[in-house]
Amino acid sequence: MAKERLVFLSPVDPPGAWRAAFERAAPDIDFFVSRGEMASPETIDWAVVWRPPAGLLAGLPRLRCVFSLGAGVDHVLIDPDFPRHVPLCRVVDPYLTSGMSEYVVLHVIGHQRNLLRNIADQAASRWSPFLPRQADETRVGILGLGELGLDAARKLRPFGYSLAGWSASRKNEPGVESFAGRAELGAFLARTDILVCLLPLTADTQGILNAGTFAQLPRGAAVINAARGGHLVEADLLAALDAGHISGTTLDVFETEPLPATSPLWRHPRVLITPHIASMADPRTTAVAMADSMARIRRGEAPLHLVDPAKGY
Ligand code: NDP
Ligand code: OXD
């Protein structure tokens, strides 16, 4: 019998580690790397992708499942021809989750303790001691209380922050005040000194980090965006920074990636930039979960971490 075939397609993920991981997790599958070209599309059973070219997945008639190489699936669903009858799965992985929580804890503490001021002082050879705001006087608000938002909240809790989260549905997480739906967004923002965005990018959340949102935060609030560039209106953030309403920001994701060298964000003294590395899927554990999903599909069961394309996450 012919081997099942898996196409791996990503402009950013190095394929070597994924090939090795799939050789261990699914040795019976033929793993091949595509850079957009697709020989014998009628032979492809599985697709493991990051930002696949529009129309490519629709041209695979035997496709049984699409696996996003990330937790987010906006990069797949942006394709107007995405074959919606094919199951779409995302990454839910302990390494990806703990990596994101490390990033969030690092940057929340950085803004609470005004690390940006230390960086500026060092650049100016200026010895300028100051007392940071106490953690228990700092209100952290997380947009999105899903896999990543909830774990980040749990890992921030021991530091003593006053924690809240905003989600579509109400949560019942000890020590985290839950705000749900658009009607409660204003109250959530009004009590937030450090805002962390961990939302999926959907039609509802596109551009949510905008001038109106910033205006509802207390003066001097900080903003951390580790979700998607499409959540942020970059010009609105720059204006809020320059007006002193937002005191500082950490950005991992951008409307255009890589962030163009001409972007004023690179040179802004109150902006900390990381190159979309807040967290990543680890091939070793993720390939095992994907292989498990393939086995489930062969048995007629639902795969793991299935996405609802209608909701967009
Ligand atoms: P989940 O699907 O587990 O959680 C999403 C959360 O957002 C849920 O709490 C959901 O609410 C909430 N939400 C969705 N839409 C709305 C809305 N319209 N209004 C209010 N709340 C909403 O996702 P993850 O936590 O796994 O991942 C979140 C995102 O993080 C990913 O989609 C990806 O874009 C980004 N990411 C970025 C990485 C990076 O390196 N920068 C790495 C990994 C992920 P409810 O629970 O009620 O459904
Ligand atoms: C993801 C990402 O969605 O890395 O997992 O951005």
Side-chain angles (χ1 to χ4, degrees), residues 71-72 74 90 96 100 144-149 166-169 171 198-202 204-205 226-228 252-253 276-279 311 313:
D74 49 295
R90 70 192 194 95
L96 183 132
M100 180 58 85
L145 272 187
E147 290 290 335
L148 302 181
W166 182 72
S167 42
S169 57
K171 305 296 175 200
L198 285 175
L199 287 166
L201 184 63
T202 66
D204 278 348
T205 64
R228 284 291 181 267
D252 185 55
V253 285
H276 200 147
I277 44 78
S279 195
K311 272 170 66 182
Y313 67 99

PDB file of all heavy atoms in Angstrom, residues 71-72 74 90 96 100 144-149 166-169 171 198-202 204-205 226-228 252-253 276-279 311 313, ligand 1:
ATOM      1  N   ALA A  71      -0.262  28.248  17.528  1.00  0.00           N
ATOM      2  CA  ALA A  71      -1.523  28.240  18.273  1.00  0.00           C
ATOM      3  C   ALA A  71      -2.592  29.002  17.498  1.00  0.00           C
ATOM      4  O   ALA A  71      -3.767  28.665  17.535  1.00  0.00           O
ATOM      5  CB  ALA A  71      -1.312  28.879  19.642  1.00  0.00           C
ATOM      6  N   GLY A  72      -2.176  30.029  16.787  1.00  0.00           N
ATOM      7  CA  GLY A  72      -3.111  30.824  16.007  1.00  0.00           C
ATOM      8  C   GLY A  72      -3.366  30.196  14.644  1.00  0.00           C
ATOM      9  O   GLY A  72      -2.497  29.501  14.097  1.00  0.00           O
ATOM     10  N   ASP A  74      -5.148  32.250  12.190  1.00  0.00           N
ATOM     11  CA  ASP A  74      -5.481  33.371  11.299  1.00  0.00           C
ATOM     12  C   ASP A  74      -4.695  33.287   9.994  1.00  0.00           C
ATOM     13  O   ASP A  74      -5.196  33.636   8.933  1.00  0.00           O
ATOM     14  CB  ASP A  74      -5.188  34.701  12.003  1.00  0.00           C
ATOM     15  CG  ASP A  74      -3.798  34.727  12.633  1.00  0.00           C
ATOM     16  OD1 ASP A  74      -3.556  33.945  13.573  1.00  0.00           O
ATOM     17  OD2 ASP A  74      -2.948  35.491  12.150  1.00  0.00           O
ATOM     18  N   ARG A  90      -4.899  23.310  15.700  1.00  0.00           N
ATOM     19  CA  ARG A  90      -3.876  24.268  16.081  1.00  0.00           C
ATOM     20  C   ARG A  90      -2.959  23.639  17.121  1.00  0.00           C
ATOM     21  O   ARG A  90      -3.220  22.521  17.591  1.00  0.00           O
ATOM     22  CB  ARG A  90      -4.533  25.536  16.624  1.00  0.00           C
ATOM     23  CG  ARG A  90      -5.195  25.321  17.981  1.00  0.00           C
ATOM     24  CD  ARG A  90      -6.081  26.489  18.359  1.00  0.00           C
ATOM     25  NE  ARG A  90      -6.438  26.438  19.790  1.00  0.00           N
ATOM     26  CZ  ARG A  90      -5.790  27.086  20.728  1.00  0.00           C
ATOM     27  NH1 ARG A  90      -4.753  27.839  20.434  1.00  0.00           N
ATOM     28  NH2 ARG A  90      -6.160  26.990  21.997  1.00  0.00           N
ATOM     29  N   LEU A  96       4.941  25.412  24.339  1.00  0.00           N
ATOM     30  CA  LEU A  96       4.472  26.679  23.772  1.00  0.00           C
ATOM     31  C   LEU A  96       3.801  27.510  24.864  1.00  0.00           C
ATOM     32  O   LEU A  96       4.013  28.717  24.985  1.00  0.00           O
ATOM     33  CB  LEU A  96       3.518  26.425  22.608  1.00  0.00           C
ATOM     34  CG  LEU A  96       3.028  27.693  21.911  1.00  0.00           C
ATOM     35  CD1 LEU A  96       3.169  27.568  20.397  1.00  0.00           C
ATOM     36  CD2 LEU A  96       1.592  27.999  22.256  1.00  0.00           C
ATOM     37  N   MET A 100       5.248  31.104  26.413  1.00  0.00           N
ATOM     38  CA  MET A 100       4.486  32.363  26.392  1.00  0.00           C
ATOM     39  C   MET A 100       4.359  32.940  27.806  1.00  0.00           C
ATOM     40  O   MET A 100       4.485  34.156  28.008  1.00  0.00           O
ATOM     41  CB  MET A 100       3.107  32.139  25.779  1.00  0.00           C
ATOM     42  CG  MET A 100       2.262  33.397  25.717  1.00  0.00           C
ATOM     43  SD  MET A 100       3.038  34.730  24.768  1.00  0.00           S
ATOM     44  CE  MET A 100       2.539  34.290  23.102  1.00  0.00           C
ATOM     45  N   GLY A 144      -7.960  37.892  26.541  1.00  0.00           N
ATOM     46  CA  GLY A 144      -7.887  36.492  26.111  1.00  0.00           C
ATOM     47  C   GLY A 144      -7.477  35.612  27.278  1.00  0.00           C
ATOM     48  O   GLY A 144      -6.344  35.689  27.751  1.00  0.00           O
ATOM     49  N   LEU A 145      -8.426  34.833  27.772  1.00  0.00           N
ATOM     50  CA  LEU A 145      -8.132  33.926  28.898  1.00  0.00           C
ATOM     51  C   LEU A 145      -8.300  32.495  28.432  1.00  0.00           C
ATOM     52  O   LEU A 145      -9.040  31.706  29.016  1.00  0.00           O
ATOM     53  CB  LEU A 145      -9.074  34.201  30.073  1.00  0.00           C
ATOM     54  CG  LEU A 145      -8.652  35.255  31.083  1.00  0.00           C
ATOM     55  CD1 LEU A 145      -9.618  35.262  32.268  1.00  0.00           C
ATOM     56  CD2 LEU A 145      -7.225  35.047  31.593  1.00  0.00           C
ATOM     57  N   GLY A 146      -7.605  32.150  27.327  1.00  0.00           N
ATOM     58  CA  GLY A 146      -7.639  30.781  26.818  1.00  0.00           C
ATOM     59  C   GLY A 146      -6.448  30.008  27.341  1.00  0.00           C
ATOM     60  O   GLY A 146      -5.984  30.234  28.468  1.00  0.00           O
ATOM     61  N   GLU A 147      -5.934  29.097  26.524  1.00  0.00           N
ATOM     62  CA  GLU A 147      -4.785  28.274  26.927  1.00  0.00           C
ATOM     63  C   GLU A 147      -3.655  29.149  27.454  1.00  0.00           C
ATOM     64  O   GLU A 147      -3.070  28.877  28.498  1.00  0.00           O
ATOM     65  CB  GLU A 147      -4.264  27.475  25.719  1.00  0.00           C
ATOM     66  CG  GLU A 147      -5.176  26.361  25.253  1.00  0.00           C
ATOM     67  CD  GLU A 147      -5.245  25.198  26.225  1.00  0.00           C
ATOM     68  OE1 GLU A 147      -4.275  25.011  26.999  1.00  0.00           O
ATOM     69  OE2 GLU A 147      -6.267  24.507  26.226  1.00  0.00           O
ATOM     70  N   LEU A 148      -3.326  30.179  26.692  1.00  0.00           N
ATOM     71  CA  LEU A 148      -2.144  30.981  27.021  1.00  0.00           C
ATOM     72  C   LEU A 148      -2.452  32.018  28.100  1.00  0.00           C
ATOM     73  O   LEU A 148      -1.670  32.195  29.036  1.00  0.00           O
ATOM     74  CB  LEU A 148      -1.604  31.651  25.757  1.00  0.00           C
ATOM     75  CG  LEU A 148      -1.229  30.681  24.624  1.00  0.00           C
ATOM     76  CD1 LEU A 148      -0.677  31.439  23.425  1.00  0.00           C
ATOM     77  CD2 LEU A 148      -0.212  29.644  25.098  1.00  0.00           C
ATOM     78  N   GLY A 149      -3.577  32.703  27.963  1.00  0.00           N
ATOM     79  CA  GLY A 149      -3.917  33.748  28.930  1.00  0.00           C
ATOM     80  C   GLY A 149      -4.093  33.192  30.337  1.00  0.00           C
ATOM     81  O   GLY A 149      -3.617  33.784  31.314  1.00  0.00           O
ATOM     82  N   TRP A 166     -10.101  39.257  30.221  1.00  0.00           N
ATOM     83  CA  TRP A 166     -11.281  39.547  29.389  1.00  0.00           C
ATOM     84  C   TRP A 166     -11.401  38.457  28.338  1.00  0.00           C
ATOM     85  O   TRP A 166     -10.416  38.112  27.669  1.00  0.00           O
ATOM     86  CB  TRP A 166     -11.116  40.906  28.717  1.00  0.00           C
ATOM     87  CG  TRP A 166     -12.286  41.331  27.883  1.00  0.00           C
ATOM     88  CD1 TRP A 166     -13.509  41.734  28.337  1.00  0.00           C
ATOM     89  CD2 TRP A 166     -12.348  41.420  26.453  1.00  0.00           C
ATOM     90  NE1 TRP A 166     -14.335  42.063  27.281  1.00  0.00           N
ATOM     91  CE2 TRP A 166     -13.640  41.881  26.099  1.00  0.00           C
ATOM     92  CE3 TRP A 166     -11.444  41.151  25.425  1.00  0.00           C
ATOM     93  CZ2 TRP A 166     -14.047  42.077  24.788  1.00  0.00           C
ATOM     94  CZ3 TRP A 166     -11.845  41.352  24.114  1.00  0.00           C
ATOM     95  CH2 TRP A 166     -13.140  41.811  23.797  1.00  0.00           C
ATOM     96  N   SER A 167     -12.572  37.888  28.219  1.00  0.00           N
ATOM     97  CA  SER A 167     -12.772  36.794  27.254  1.00  0.00           C
ATOM     98  C   SER A 167     -14.192  36.873  26.704  1.00  0.00           C
ATOM     99  O   SER A 167     -14.996  37.705  27.141  1.00  0.00           O
ATOM    100  CB  SER A 167     -12.501  35.434  27.928  1.00  0.00           C
ATOM    101  OG  SER A 167     -13.051  35.410  29.216  1.00  0.00           O
ATOM    102  N   ALA A 168     -14.475  35.969  25.763  1.00  0.00           N
ATOM    103  CA  ALA A 168     -15.820  35.973  25.191  1.00  0.00           C
ATOM    104  C   ALA A 168     -16.819  35.439  26.213  1.00  0.00           C
ATOM    105  O   ALA A 168     -17.920  35.984  26.378  1.00  0.00           O
ATOM    106  CB  ALA A 168     -15.833  35.133  23.916  1.00  0.00           C
ATOM    107  N   SER A 169     -16.416  34.360  26.913  1.00  0.00           N
ATOM    108  CA  SER A 169     -17.308  33.774  27.930  1.00  0.00           C
ATOM    109  C   SER A 169     -16.704  33.994  29.316  1.00  0.00           C
ATOM    110  O   SER A 169     -15.489  34.152  29.453  1.00  0.00           O
ATOM    111  CB  SER A 169     -17.470  32.278  27.661  1.00  0.00           C
ATOM    112  OG  SER A 169     -16.194  31.655  27.649  1.00  0.00           O
ATOM    113  N   LYS A 171     -15.169  33.413  32.932  1.00  0.00           N
ATOM    114  CA  LYS A 171     -14.275  32.385  33.500  1.00  0.00           C
ATOM    115  C   LYS A 171     -14.420  32.369  35.014  1.00  0.00           C
ATOM    116  O   LYS A 171     -14.814  33.369  35.627  1.00  0.00           O
ATOM    117  CB  LYS A 171     -12.809  32.686  33.144  1.00  0.00           C
ATOM    118  CG  LYS A 171     -12.539  32.853  31.660  1.00  0.00           C
ATOM    119  CD  LYS A 171     -12.791  31.578  30.877  1.00  0.00           C
ATOM    120  CE  LYS A 171     -12.639  31.805  29.400  1.00  0.00           C
ATOM    121  NZ  LYS A 171     -13.285  30.816  28.559  1.00  0.00           N
ATOM    122  N   LEU A 198      -3.463  38.580  24.455  1.00  0.00           N
ATOM    123  CA  LEU A 198      -3.272  37.170  24.071  1.00  0.00           C
ATOM    124  C   LEU A 198      -4.545  36.657  23.400  1.00  0.00           C
ATOM    125  O   LEU A 198      -5.003  35.539  23.671  1.00  0.00           O
ATOM    126  CB  LEU A 198      -2.924  36.326  25.296  1.00  0.00           C
ATOM    127  CG  LEU A 198      -1.495  36.490  25.824  1.00  0.00           C
ATOM    128  CD1 LEU A 198      -1.285  35.701  27.109  1.00  0.00           C
ATOM    129  CD2 LEU A 198      -0.466  36.062  24.784  1.00  0.00           C
ATOM    130  N   LEU A 199      -5.106  37.492  22.538  1.00  0.00           N
ATOM    131  CA  LEU A 199      -6.332  37.115  21.813  1.00  0.00           C
ATOM    132  C   LEU A 199      -5.979  36.446  20.492  1.00  0.00           C
ATOM    133  O   LEU A 199      -4.942  36.734  19.900  1.00  0.00           O
ATOM    134  CB  LEU A 199      -7.140  38.378  21.500  1.00  0.00           C
ATOM    135  CG  LEU A 199      -7.873  39.060  22.647  1.00  0.00           C
ATOM    136  CD1 LEU A 199      -8.308  40.457  22.213  1.00  0.00           C
ATOM    137  CD2 LEU A 199      -9.070  38.234  23.104  1.00  0.00           C
ATOM    138  N   PRO A 200      -6.859  35.618  19.969  1.00  0.00           N
ATOM    139  CA  PRO A 200      -6.700  35.194  18.569  1.00  0.00           C
ATOM    140  C   PRO A 200      -7.096  36.354  17.655  1.00  0.00           C
ATOM    141  O   PRO A 200      -7.931  37.182  18.034  1.00  0.00           O
ATOM    142  CB  PRO A 200      -7.694  34.035  18.444  1.00  0.00           C
ATOM    143  CG  PRO A 200      -8.708  34.257  19.505  1.00  0.00           C
ATOM    144  CD  PRO A 200      -8.064  35.055  20.601  1.00  0.00           C
ATOM    145  N   LEU A 201      -6.513  36.393  16.462  1.00  0.00           N
ATOM    146  CA  LEU A 201      -6.888  37.441  15.501  1.00  0.00           C
ATOM    147  C   LEU A 201      -8.093  36.968  14.700  1.00  0.00           C
ATOM    148  O   LEU A 201      -8.008  36.002  13.932  1.00  0.00           O
ATOM    149  CB  LEU A 201      -5.720  37.757  14.575  1.00  0.00           C
ATOM    150  CG  LEU A 201      -5.981  38.905  13.597  1.00  0.00           C
ATOM    151  CD1 LEU A 201      -6.228  40.217  14.340  1.00  0.00           C
ATOM    152  CD2 LEU A 201      -4.823  39.059  12.625  1.00  0.00           C
ATOM    153  N   THR A 202      -9.218  37.647  14.913  1.00  0.00           N
ATOM    154  CA  THR A 202     -10.462  37.323  14.208  1.00  0.00           C
ATOM    155  C   THR A 202     -11.087  38.642  13.746  1.00  0.00           C
ATOM    156  O   THR A 202     -10.594  39.725  14.091  1.00  0.00           O
ATOM    157  CB  THR A 202     -11.466  36.613  15.142  1.00  0.00           C
ATOM    158  OG1 THR A 202     -11.867  37.546  16.160  1.00  0.00           O
ATOM    159  CG2 THR A 202     -10.874  35.377  15.801  1.00  0.00           C
ATOM    160  N   ASP A 204     -13.601  39.948  14.944  1.00  0.00           N
ATOM    161  CA  ASP A 204     -14.024  40.679  16.156  1.00  0.00           C
ATOM    162  C   ASP A 204     -12.872  41.365  16.868  1.00  0.00           C
ATOM    163  O   ASP A 204     -13.084  42.342  17.590  1.00  0.00           O
ATOM    164  CB  ASP A 204     -14.636  39.699  17.170  1.00  0.00           C
ATOM    165  CG  ASP A 204     -16.070  39.384  16.858  1.00  0.00           C
ATOM    166  OD1 ASP A 204     -16.650  40.081  16.010  1.00  0.00           O
ATOM    167  OD2 ASP A 204     -16.592  38.432  17.469  1.00  0.00           O
ATOM    168  N   THR A 205     -11.670  40.813  16.761  1.00  0.00           N
ATOM    169  CA  THR A 205     -10.558  41.339  17.571  1.00  0.00           C
ATOM    170  C   THR A 205      -9.560  42.166  16.757  1.00  0.00           C
ATOM    171  O   THR A 205      -8.664  42.770  17.326  1.00  0.00           O
ATOM    172  CB  THR A 205      -9.793  40.189  18.269  1.00  0.00           C
ATOM    173  OG1 THR A 205      -9.177  39.362  17.251  1.00  0.00           O
ATOM    174  CG2 THR A 205     -10.714  39.325  19.113  1.00  0.00           C
ATOM    175  N   ALA A 226       1.543  40.261  22.509  1.00  0.00           N
ATOM    176  CA  ALA A 226       2.228  39.022  22.127  1.00  0.00           C
ATOM    177  C   ALA A 226       1.306  38.153  21.288  1.00  0.00           C
ATOM    178  O   ALA A 226       1.542  36.955  21.146  1.00  0.00           O
ATOM    179  CB  ALA A 226       2.668  38.265  23.382  1.00  0.00           C
ATOM    180  N   ALA A 227       0.263  38.758  20.709  1.00  0.00           N
ATOM    181  CA  ALA A 227      -0.737  37.943  19.990  1.00  0.00           C
ATOM    182  C   ALA A 227      -0.530  38.053  18.478  1.00  0.00           C
ATOM    183  O   ALA A 227       0.108  37.185  17.868  1.00  0.00           O
ATOM    184  CB  ALA A 227      -2.138  38.359  20.421  1.00  0.00           C
ATOM    185  N   ARG A 228      -1.050  39.113  17.871  1.00  0.00           N
ATOM    186  CA  ARG A 228      -0.879  39.311  16.432  1.00  0.00           C
ATOM    187  C   ARG A 228      -0.747  40.797  16.141  1.00  0.00           C
ATOM    188  O   ARG A 228      -1.402  41.630  16.785  1.00  0.00           O
ATOM    189  CB  ARG A 228      -2.094  38.768  15.672  1.00  0.00           C
ATOM    190  CG  ARG A 228      -2.126  37.257  15.552  1.00  0.00           C
ATOM    191  CD  ARG A 228      -1.027  36.717  14.628  1.00  0.00           C
ATOM    192  NE  ARG A 228      -1.089  35.271  14.503  1.00  0.00           N
ATOM    193  CZ  ARG A 228      -0.411  34.406  15.256  1.00  0.00           C
ATOM    194  NH1 ARG A 228       0.397  34.836  16.201  1.00  0.00           N
ATOM    195  NH2 ARG A 228      -0.530  33.113  15.051  1.00  0.00           N
ATOM    196  N   ASP A 252       5.767  42.000  20.239  1.00  0.00           N
ATOM    197  CA  ASP A 252       6.401  40.806  19.644  1.00  0.00           C
ATOM    198  C   ASP A 252       5.924  40.576  18.219  1.00  0.00           C
ATOM    199  O   ASP A 252       6.556  39.842  17.467  1.00  0.00           O
ATOM    200  CB  ASP A 252       6.064  39.581  20.503  1.00  0.00           C
ATOM    201  CG  ASP A 252       6.788  38.330  20.018  1.00  0.00           C
ATOM    202  OD1 ASP A 252       8.034  38.382  19.914  1.00  0.00           O
ATOM    203  OD2 ASP A 252       6.123  37.316  19.721  1.00  0.00           O
ATOM    204  N   VAL A 253       4.791  41.187  17.881  1.00  0.00           N
ATOM    205  CA  VAL A 253       4.129  40.897  16.593  1.00  0.00           C
ATOM    206  C   VAL A 253       3.749  42.200  15.917  1.00  0.00           C
ATOM    207  O   VAL A 253       3.451  43.203  16.584  1.00  0.00           O
ATOM    208  CB  VAL A 253       2.887  40.009  16.839  1.00  0.00           C
ATOM    209  CG1 VAL A 253       3.279  38.583  17.148  1.00  0.00           C
ATOM    210  CG2 VAL A 253       2.025  40.575  17.962  1.00  0.00           C
ATOM    211  N   HIS A 276       8.782  38.316  17.006  1.00  0.00           N
ATOM    212  CA  HIS A 276       7.806  37.213  16.973  1.00  0.00           C
ATOM    213  C   HIS A 276       8.437  35.921  17.513  1.00  0.00           C
ATOM    214  O   HIS A 276       8.442  34.886  16.842  1.00  0.00           O
ATOM    215  CB  HIS A 276       7.246  37.005  15.554  1.00  0.00           C
ATOM    216  CG  HIS A 276       5.937  36.248  15.561  1.00  0.00           C
ATOM    217  ND1 HIS A 276       4.939  36.468  14.652  1.00  0.00           N
ATOM    218  CD2 HIS A 276       5.464  35.267  16.382  1.00  0.00           C
ATOM    219  CE1 HIS A 276       3.909  35.670  14.903  1.00  0.00           C
ATOM    220  NE2 HIS A 276       4.215  34.920  15.963  1.00  0.00           N
ATOM    221  N   ILE A 277       8.955  36.045  18.729  1.00  0.00           N
ATOM    222  CA  ILE A 277       9.582  34.863  19.360  1.00  0.00           C
ATOM    223  C   ILE A 277       9.018  34.635  20.767  1.00  0.00           C
ATOM    224  O   ILE A 277       9.612  33.905  21.559  1.00  0.00           O
ATOM    225  CB  ILE A 277      11.118  34.984  19.471  1.00  0.00           C
ATOM    226  CG1 ILE A 277      11.549  36.359  19.942  1.00  0.00           C
ATOM    227  CG2 ILE A 277      11.779  34.674  18.132  1.00  0.00           C
ATOM    228  CD1 ILE A 277      11.420  36.630  21.360  1.00  0.00           C
ATOM    229  N   ALA A 278       7.862  35.256  21.062  1.00  0.00           N
ATOM    230  CA  ALA A 278       7.326  35.095  22.419  1.00  0.00           C
ATOM    231  C   ALA A 278       7.254  33.615  22.766  1.00  0.00           C
ATOM    232  O   ALA A 278       7.660  33.191  23.843  1.00  0.00           O
ATOM    233  CB  ALA A 278       5.952  35.735  22.525  1.00  0.00           C
ATOM    234  N   SER A 279       6.773  32.826  21.829  1.00  0.00           N
ATOM    235  CA  SER A 279       6.786  31.375  22.031  1.00  0.00           C
ATOM    236  C   SER A 279       6.632  30.677  20.688  1.00  0.00           C
ATOM    237  O   SER A 279       6.144  31.279  19.738  1.00  0.00           O
ATOM    238  CB  SER A 279       5.657  30.962  22.967  1.00  0.00           C
ATOM    239  OG  SER A 279       5.901  29.641  23.409  1.00  0.00           O
ATOM    240  N   LYS A 311     -15.738  30.554  14.142  1.00  0.00           N
ATOM    241  CA  LYS A 311     -15.314  31.449  15.226  1.00  0.00           C
ATOM    242  C   LYS A 311     -13.950  32.066  14.925  1.00  0.00           C
ATOM    243  O   LYS A 311     -13.610  33.137  15.401  1.00  0.00           O
ATOM    244  CB  LYS A 311     -15.203  30.653  16.535  1.00  0.00           C
ATOM    245  CG  LYS A 311     -16.505  30.576  17.330  1.00  0.00           C
ATOM    246  CD  LYS A 311     -16.423  29.588  18.483  1.00  0.00           C
ATOM    247  CE  LYS A 311     -15.456  29.980  19.569  1.00  0.00           C
ATOM    248  NZ  LYS A 311     -15.365  28.977  20.659  1.00  0.00           N
ATOM    249  N   TYR A 313     -11.064  30.599  15.868  1.00  0.00           N
ATOM    250  CA  TYR A 313     -10.057  30.157  16.847  1.00  0.00           C
ATOM    251  C   TYR A 313     -10.507  28.863  17.516  1.00  0.00           C
ATOM    252  O   TYR A 313     -11.635  28.449  17.315  1.00  0.00           O
ATOM    253  CB  TYR A 313      -9.766  31.233  17.891  1.00  0.00           C
ATOM    254  CG  TYR A 313     -10.904  31.567  18.854  1.00  0.00           C
ATOM    255  CD1 TYR A 313     -10.949  31.023  20.144  1.00  0.00           C
ATOM    256  CD2 TYR A 313     -11.929  32.448  18.477  1.00  0.00           C
ATOM    257  CE1 TYR A 313     -11.967  31.352  21.030  1.00  0.00           C
ATOM    258  CE2 TYR A 313     -12.951  32.776  19.358  1.00  0.00           C
ATOM    259  CZ  TYR A 313     -12.959  32.215  20.628  1.00  0.00           C
ATOM    260  OH  TYR A 313     -13.985  32.538  21.505  1.00  0.00           O
TER     261      TYR A 313
HETATM  262  P1  NDP B   1      -7.319  30.191  22.837  1.00  0.00           P
HETATM  263  O1  NDP B   1      -8.212  29.922  21.699  1.00  0.00           O
HETATM  264  O2  NDP B   1      -7.049  29.086  23.797  1.00  0.00           O
HETATM  265  O3  NDP B   1      -7.869  31.421  23.683  1.00  0.00           O
HETATM  266  C1  NDP B   1      -8.401  32.557  23.091  1.00  0.00           C
HETATM  267  C2  NDP B   1      -9.049  33.437  24.157  1.00  0.00           C
HETATM  268  O4  NDP B   1      -9.490  34.646  23.536  1.00  0.00           O
HETATM  269  C3  NDP B   1     -10.280  32.787  24.798  1.00  0.00           C
HETATM  270  O5  NDP B   1     -10.304  33.088  26.174  1.00  0.00           O
HETATM  271  C4  NDP B   1     -11.438  33.469  24.073  1.00  0.00           C
HETATM  272  O6  NDP B   1     -12.607  33.563  24.852  1.00  0.00           O
HETATM  273  C5  NDP B   1     -10.868  34.853  23.866  1.00  0.00           C
HETATM  274  N1  NDP B   1     -11.540  35.534  22.770  1.00  0.00           N
HETATM  275  C6  NDP B   1     -11.599  35.186  21.465  1.00  0.00           C
HETATM  276  N2  NDP B   1     -12.349  36.062  20.762  1.00  0.00           N
HETATM  277  C7  NDP B   1     -12.781  36.969  21.671  1.00  0.00           C
HETATM  278  C8  NDP B   1     -13.606  38.122  21.567  1.00  0.00           C
HETATM  279  N3  NDP B   1     -14.148  38.523  20.386  1.00  0.00           N
HETATM  280  N4  NDP B   1     -13.849  38.831  22.698  1.00  0.00           N
HETATM  281  C9  NDP B   1     -13.341  38.439  23.871  1.00  0.00           C
HETATM  282  N5  NDP B   1     -12.535  37.357  24.036  1.00  0.00           N
HETATM  283  C10 NDP B   1     -12.263  36.641  22.932  1.00  0.00           C
HETATM  284  O7  NDP B   1      -5.951  30.744  22.214  1.00  0.00           O
HETATM  285  P2  NDP B   1      -4.482  30.669  22.841  1.00  0.00           P
HETATM  286  O8  NDP B   1      -4.531  31.193  24.208  1.00  0.00           O
HETATM  287  O9  NDP B   1      -3.916  29.309  22.630  1.00  0.00           O
HETATM  288  O10 NDP B   1      -3.686  31.648  21.856  1.00  0.00           O
HETATM  289  C11 NDP B   1      -4.043  33.009  21.712  1.00  0.00           C
HETATM  290  C12 NDP B   1      -3.283  33.659  20.572  1.00  0.00           C
HETATM  291  O11 NDP B   1      -1.931  33.900  20.938  1.00  0.00           O
HETATM  292  C13 NDP B   1      -3.149  32.840  19.291  1.00  0.00           C
HETATM  293  O12 NDP B   1      -4.339  32.888  18.537  1.00  0.00           O
HETATM  294  C14 NDP B   1      -1.995  33.532  18.584  1.00  0.00           C
HETATM  295  O13 NDP B   1      -2.479  34.563  17.756  1.00  0.00           O
HETATM  296  C15 NDP B   1      -1.179  34.134  19.735  1.00  0.00           C
HETATM  297  N6  NDP B   1       0.133  33.505  19.862  1.00  0.00           N
HETATM  298  C16 NDP B   1       1.266  34.255  19.648  1.00  0.00           C
HETATM  299  C17 NDP B   1       2.521  33.699  19.786  1.00  0.00           C
HETATM  300  C18 NDP B   1       3.752  34.512  19.626  1.00  0.00           C
HETATM  301  O14 NDP B   1       4.852  33.956  19.560  1.00  0.00           O
HETATM  302  N7  NDP B   1       3.672  35.814  19.580  1.00  0.00           N
HETATM  303  C19 NDP B   1       2.691  32.278  20.137  1.00  0.00           C
HETATM  304  C20 NDP B   1       1.452  31.587  20.347  1.00  0.00           C
HETATM  305  C21 NDP B   1       0.224  32.185  20.207  1.00  0.00           C
HETATM  306  P3  NDP B   1     -13.445  32.230  25.279  1.00  0.00           P
HETATM  307  O15 NDP B   1     -12.508  31.447  26.187  1.00  0.00           O
HETATM  308  O16 NDP B   1     -14.614  32.722  25.972  1.00  0.00           O
HETATM  309  O17 NDP B   1     -13.706  31.504  23.972  1.00  0.00           O
END
